[in-house]
């Protein structure tokens, strides 16, 4: 209050219209201060009249600048009141506050006291209240033209709007442009102990020198010089790094090779601190190299923040940080890296979770054990890769996994190009963990046990390509496993995985028929396992299973040995005309295939009740689909693929309903 130099009111406030331009007497201090008009004042807040302290509040500083109010600084750098504070000089700020409050009350100036909640700046370390003070600083005018039509901010805006620099995800482009189009001068000086010292020197004869190379004497008078003690903002130095670290301003070999880089990634929280500054400085300092070489990067990827389990930002002051070295030592560096990469989509925050790290560690362990199994089966042999010309010599499950691998390679290529790294890693994990480890390897074990060596070619090929695709996401375990694997592949192999070629889909192994057939076989196996679980069959039991199938019959017969092994059953595949033998059975259906699992004992009444409930649900579902497909308005507006999908679902539901009725009849 002792630094007040004016009172501001809104120019449209009728209560104070006639008082604008008149003066007031500041209580206690006795200073005459004017009443000024400023549109930032909200008439509905409080009395609608706001005291203005330009020397101790950033907003009041702006009001003071607009209205030519004097600036009074009533506090020193140690937080004590100075001579401008009158009778309170020498007091710490807190004591002065209490003393002023008492004097206002004693003088009859205090009308009332009300609680008021507002934002107070505090030190992030010691929580001390920060007192704003004006000070002399160095600034960078980012909107000033350094050449006709060119300014730091303007060039940085055009680089993005003209598509020379891409922003991923694209939604951040609007955020970037909004900030750059409203950017103000940048305060680049800091009163810190460490950093680039401001390149300004003061001559003993009052001259000021600003230049890149350190001067020995004043270039104007030869006088002694003293360098400014301030240092540059750390983001000023960081913004220079992409080209300064490579030898700029010299056109070095490193600068030509590494600048500009293709892709830069950072957290979205430093978009303005680092990204914008790199673009502004690069375009300015490298402009003599030409438009294409002046940009620091061609694309910038913004990732999110890792927050704690409650969604709070991790900070040392909160005590909720996770030491990555401790987490990596607990779960493994690969697991830590993989969990973070797959934890969120690009640009979105994620919550830290030990469970996700544990899952990633389990995945790494699964890969390790899988590779050990493959290497054990290969032994000392060198195995050739499978060749597409020999397609017909491979079993159905071989053609399926090779087709699925090609699809994955195509998807990974597309996802990488779209910077969808998290989704890319998730799809690789799904393929390796589920399709390759859980299904393919289990399906070929009977063949391997019988001496069939054809699966070895497929195993080493799929594992090799899987390690190559997974390497960017799990670099350590994949390199270790690949080093052991490369010695067993009869092919031209690189010395290290990190420099090996990355898989690309050639379309040579795509086999839609094999994929559909094995997908059906897998669903049949899942149905068998579900029936076993529902009926609580002993884990060691090998019940008889009868499949009544139509179109998928050949695939089910070809993979019968695999089903017997993976689901622990004795399988018999019949045509639809075949009959399930008499006895107690648990039933299921997958598309055109009826699944019957022999049961030691069945509660007929309970089984009938279960089937009747399932039949009612299936019939109701079919009726809903029929009604929707019969609606001409819906059919005219819905996309063709939606209609086709519903028709397929309806056909499957009708088959399931018919099968349920047959089972009820058999009971």
């Amino acid at each position: 209050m002792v630094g007040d130099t004016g009172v501001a009111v809104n120019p449209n406030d009728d209560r104070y219209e006639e008082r604008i331009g008149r003066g007031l007497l500041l209580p206690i201090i006795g200073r005459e201060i004017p009443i000024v008009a400023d549109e930032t004042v909200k008439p509905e807040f409080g009395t609608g009249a706001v005291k203005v302290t330009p020397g101790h509040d950033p907003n009041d500083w702006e009001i003071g600048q607009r209205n030519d109010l004097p600036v009074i600084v009533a506090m020193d750098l140690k937080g004590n009141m100075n001579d401008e504070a009158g009778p309170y000089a020498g007091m710490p700020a807190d004591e002065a506050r209490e003393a002023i409050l008492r004097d206002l009350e004693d003088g009859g100036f205090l009308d009332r006291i009300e609680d008021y909640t507002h934002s107070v700046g505090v030190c992030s370390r010691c929580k001390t209240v920060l007192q704003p003070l004006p000070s002399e600083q160095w600034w960078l005018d980012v909107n000033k033209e350094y050449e006709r039509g060119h300014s730091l901010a303007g060039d940085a805006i055009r680089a993005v709007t003209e598509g020379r620099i891409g922003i991923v995800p694209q939604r951040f482009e609007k955020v970037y442009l909004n900030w750059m189009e409203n950017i103000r001068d940048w305060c680049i000086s800091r009163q810190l102990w460490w950093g680039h010292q401001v390149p300004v020197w003061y001559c003993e004869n009052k001259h000021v020198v600003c230049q890149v190379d350190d001067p020995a004497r004043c270039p104007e008078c030869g006088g002694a010089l003293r360098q400014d003690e301030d240092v540059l903002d750390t983001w000023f130095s960081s913004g220079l790094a992409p080209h300064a670290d490579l030898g700029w301003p010299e056109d070095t070999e490193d600068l030509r090779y590494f600048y500009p880089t293709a892709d830069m990634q950072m957290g979205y929280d430093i978009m303005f601190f680092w990204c914008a500054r790199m673009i502004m400085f690069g375009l300015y300092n490298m402009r003599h190299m030409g438009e294409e070489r002046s940009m620091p990067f061609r694309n910038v990827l913004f990732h999110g923040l890792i927050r704690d389990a409650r969604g709070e930002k991790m900070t040392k002051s909160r005590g909720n940080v996770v030491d990555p070295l401790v987490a990596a030592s607990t779960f493994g560096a690969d697991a830590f890296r993989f969990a973070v990469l797959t934890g969120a989509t690009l640009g979105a925050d994620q919550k830290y979770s030990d469970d996700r790290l544990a899952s990633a560690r389990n995945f790494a362990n699964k890969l390790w054990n899988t590779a050990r199994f493959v290497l054990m089966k290969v032994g000392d042999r060198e195995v050739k890769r499978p060749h597409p010309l020999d397609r017909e010599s491979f079993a159905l499950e071989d053609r399926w996994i090779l087709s699925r691998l090609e699809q994955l390679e195509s998807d990974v290529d597309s996802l990488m190009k779209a910077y969808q790294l998290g989704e890319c890693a998730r799809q690789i994990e799904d393929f390796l963990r589920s399709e390759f480890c859980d299904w393919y390897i289990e399906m070929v074990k009977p063949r391997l046990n019988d001496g069939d060596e054809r699966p070895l070619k497929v195993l080493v090929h799929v594992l090799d390509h899987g390690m190559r695709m997974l390497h960017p996401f799990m670099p350590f375990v994949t390199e270790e496993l690949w080093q052991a694997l490369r010695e067993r592949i009869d092919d031209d192999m690189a010395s290290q995985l990190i420099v090996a070629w990355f898989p690309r889909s050639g379309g040579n192994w795509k086999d839609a028929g094999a994929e559909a057939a094995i997908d059906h076989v897998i669903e049949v196996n899942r149905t068998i396992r579900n029936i076993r679980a529902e009926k609580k069959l002993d884990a060691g039991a090998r019940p008889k299973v009868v499949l009544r199938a139509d179109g998928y019959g050949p695939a089910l017969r070809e993979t019968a040995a695999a089903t017997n092994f993976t689901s622990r059953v004795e399988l018999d595949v019949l045509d639809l005309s075949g009959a399930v033998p008499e006895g107690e059975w648990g039933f299921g259906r997958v598309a055109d295939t009826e699944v019957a699992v022999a049961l030691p004992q069945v509660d007929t009444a309970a089984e009938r009740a279960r089937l009747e409930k399932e039949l009612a649900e299936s019939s109701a579902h079919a009726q809903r689909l029929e009604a929707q497909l019969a609606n001409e308005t819906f059919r005219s507006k819905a996309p063709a693929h939606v209609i086709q999908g519903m028709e397929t679902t309806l056909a499957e539901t009708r088959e399931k309903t018919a099968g349920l009725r047959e089972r009820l009849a058999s009971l």
Side-chain angles (χ1 to χ4, degrees):
M1 185 173 184
V2 295
D4 289 350
T5 57
V7 170
V9 298
N10 191 289
N12 300 315
D13 192 335
D14 296 338
R15 294 172 295 177
Y16 303 115
E17 184 178 3
E18 296 181 357
R19 301 193 182 192
I20 296 173
R22 299 176 65 182
L24 294 171
L25 194 63
L26 182 65
I28 302 175
I29 301 299
R31 182 187 304 130
E32 291 186 12
I33 58 177
I35 299 173
V36 299
D38 198 278
E39 292 186 350
T40 61
V41 179
K42 298 177 180 178
E44 67 276 7
F45 183 77
T47 62
V50 181
K51 66 188 205 64
V52 184
T53 321
H56 294 282
D57 184 272
N59 294 323
D60 288 8
W61 171 273
E62 298 288 343
I63 294 175
Q65 292 295 298
R66 287 192 291 269
N67 292 278
D68 296 324
L69 297 179
V71 178
I72 293 178
V73 179
M75 185 184 299
D76 63 23
L77 293 176
K78 294 184 178 180
N80 296 320
M81 309 308 291
N82 60 22
D83 292 341
E84 295 286 357
Y88 312 105
M91 290 185 182
D94 290 342
E95 288 184 18
R97 181 180 289 114
E98 298 299 327
I100 290 172
L101 194 62
R102 287 195 303 269
D103 292 347
L104 286 173
E105 188 170 18
D106 293 344
F109 298 112
L110 189 62
D111 181 59
R112 64 185 182 274
I113 296 176
E114 296 177 353
D115 287 338
Y116 172 54
T117 301
H118 66 126
S119 178
V120 178
V122 296
C123 174
S124 62
R125 296 177 182 268
C126 65
K127 307 304 179 186
T128 303
V129 173
L130 300 178
Q131 303 290 350
L133 293 172
S135 59
E136 188 176 68
Q137 305 291 340
W138 287 97
W139 297 75
L140 187 63
D141 188 344
V142 295
N143 291 303
K144 180 180 180 180
E145 288 193 354
Y146 60 84
E147 291 177 2
R148 184 176 180 83
H150 291 277
S151 66
L152 293 178
D155 290 351
I157 290 171
R158 284 191 294 274
V160 172
T161 57
E162 293 173 1
R164 287 181 283 126
I165 293 179
I167 292 180
V168 182
Q170 194 174 9
R171 67 178 184 275
F172 283 115
E173 182 177 314
K174 184 177 181 180
V175 180
Y176 169 87
L177 292 175
N178 181 63
W179 187 78
M180 290 301 300
E181 289 165 356
N182 295 282
I183 192 173
R184 295 187 177 188
D185 294 348
W186 174 16
C187 179
I188 60 172
S189 54
R190 296 290 184 272
Q191 292 70 55
L192 301 171
W193 291 105
W194 182 256
H196 282 152
Q197 199 167 350
V198 171
V200 173
W201 290 261
Y202 302 102
C203 170
E204 59 186 349
N205 297 318
K206 308 302 182 183
H207 299 129
V208 179
V209 181
C210 179
Q211 64 182 52
V212 174
D213 298 323
D214 293 0
R217 309 289 295 182
C218 177
E220 290 192 39
C221 67
L225 296 172
R226 174 184 60 85
Q227 188 171 359
D228 196 309
E229 295 180 351
D230 285 359
V231 298
L232 293 168
D233 175 15
T234 185
W235 297 110
F236 190 102
S237 302
S238 300
L240 294 171
H243 52 274
D245 290 350
L246 298 173
W248 174 87
E250 301 300 325
D251 189 14
T252 65
E253 182 180 349
D254 282 349
L255 189 64
R256 288 192 297 272
Y257 184 83
F258 291 107
Y259 190 97
T261 192
D263 300 317
M264 170 66 72
Q265 63 84 29
M266 66 188 69
Y268 64 74
D269 56 327
I270 56 173
M271 178 190 298
F272 318 123
F273 297 113
W274 195 27
C275 172
R277 273 70 186 269
M278 279 193 287
I279 294 175
M280 287 191 292
F281 285 178
L283 293 175
Y284 178 81
N285 288 336
M286 297 287 291
R287 65 189 186 280
H288 61 285
M289 301 287 188
E291 190 174 85
E292 287 303 313
R293 285 196 59 195
S294 63
M295 303 173 296
F297 39 77
R298 293 186 174 86
N299 296 290
V300 57
L301 286 66
F302 291 113
H303 59 73
L305 307 179
I306 303 177
R307 300 182 178 273
D308 67 14
R310 295 180 297 179
E312 299 288 338
K313 185 176 181 179
M314 291 187 185
T315 63
K316 286 183 288 185
S317 58
R318 283 197 183 106
N320 63 343
V321 295
V322 174
D323 188 334
L325 296 179
V326 174
S329 66
T330 303
F331 299 99
D334 275 326
F336 187 86
R337 178 187 181 99
F338 191 81
V340 168
L341 280 166
T342 58
T345 56
L346 199 61
D349 292 350
Q350 61 175 293
K351 293 181 181 179
Y352 177 84
S353 168
D354 279 343
D355 291 341
R356 198 163 66 244
L357 266 69
S359 176
R361 177 193 58 195
N362 295 341
F363 174 46
N365 288 341
K366 193 178 188 78
L367 290 175
W368 187 271
N369 292 329
T370 297
R372 286 181 59 193
F373 171 81
V374 173
L375 292 169
M376 178 186 68
K377 290 297 183 182
V378 172
D380 295 332
R381 288 166 289 191
E382 281 194 4
V383 180
K384 289 185 177 293
R385 297 181 186 275
H387 198 286
L389 294 178
D390 301 328
R391 177 194 304 271
E392 298 307 318
S393 68
F394 287 94
L396 182 62
E397 61 266 26
D398 299 336
R399 301 198 303 275
W400 165 71
I401 197 66
L402 290 168
S403 180
R404 294 296 302 137
L405 177 66
E406 282 228 335
Q407 183 60 54
L408 175 68
E409 290 168 352
S410 176
D411 292 341
V412 165
D413 189 42
S414 299
L415 289 168
M416 283 285 205
K417 289 176 180 176
Y419 303 105
Q420 297 295 326
L421 306 182
E423 180 59 24
C424 181
R426 283 189 289 270
Q427 289 200 19
I428 296 171
E429 179 188 12
D430 287 345
F431 172 82
L432 291 173
R433 184 196 288 267
S434 178
E435 294 180 308
F436 183 56
C437 296
D438 290 348
W439 287 106
Y440 179 73
I441 288 181
E442 294 303 311
M443 293 175 81
V444 300
K445 280 181 179 179
R447 294 167 57 200
L448 291 171
N449 294 337
D450 290 340
D452 186 352
E453 295 188 356
R454 287 176 301 168
L456 294 179
K457 294 183 177 182
V458 180
L459 285 169
V460 297
H461 176 75
V462 175
L463 188 59
D464 169 46
H465 279 224
M467 293 301 99
R468 291 171 189 255
M469 286 186 285
L470 187 61
H471 185 63
F473 308 98
M474 277 190 165
F476 302 113
V477 68
T478 52
E479 184 74 66
E480 181 74 14
L481 295 176
W482 194 79
Q483 286 299 323
L485 183 66
R486 65 183 288 273
E487 302 294 336
R488 299 292 171 259
I489 301 178
D490 184 8
D491 198 359
D492 185 16
M493 305 290 282
S495 61
Q496 291 181 307
L497 178 53
I498 196 170
V499 294
W501 49 263
F502 198 81
R504 293 287 188 272
S505 173
N508 298 320
W509 285 103
K510 283 301 293 178
D511 191 331
E515 288 194 33
I518 294 298
D519 287 347
H520 183 80
V521 171
I522 289 173
E523 287 306 312
V524 167
N525 275 268
R526 286 184 175 138
T527 301
I528 292 171
R529 296 173 188 183
N530 289 339
I531 294 172
R532 291 184 64 127
E534 289 172 5
K535 301 304 180 182
K536 297 181 174 56
L537 297 186
D538 186 82
R542 296 185 67 86
K544 183 176 179 60
V545 171
V546 175
L547 304 179
R548 295 174 65 235
D550 188 12
Y552 287 113
L556 293 167
R557 292 186 183 92
E558 183 177 346
T559 57
T563 299
N564 286 337
F565 179 80
T566 59
S567 295
R568 302 186 305 282
V569 298
E570 298 295 336
L571 188 65
D572 189 10
V573 182
L574 306 177
D575 294 331
L576 290 180
S577 59
V580 177
E582 291 185 5
E584 304 295 344
W585 300 85
F587 289 94
R589 175 171 282 275
V590 180
D592 72 345
T593 302
E594 183 179 62
V595 182
V597 179
L599 306 177
Q601 239 180 352
V602 174
D603 184 338
T604 307
E607 180 68 5
R608 179 180 290 279
R610 187 187 71 81
L611 291 173
E612 286 176 344
K613 179 182 178 183
E614 193 173 347
L615 176 61
E617 292 173 352
S618 183
S619 299
H621 187 206
Q623 289 173 5
R624 287 193 298 270
L625 290 170
E626 289 167 352
Q628 198 164 3
L629 289 169
N631 187 326
E632 291 301 327
T633 303
F634 169 77
R635 294 186 73 96
S636 63
K637 294 182 178 180
H641 71 274
V642 173
I643 299 294
Q644 185 178 359
M646 291 180 66
E647 289 174 340
T648 301
T649 303
L650 177 58
E652 292 174 352
T653 305
R654 285 170 173 167
E655 282 186 1
K656 179 180 178 180
T657 303
L660 289 168
R661 289 197 177 99
E662 288 180 16
R663 276 180 266 159
L664 274 169
S666 71
L667 289 175

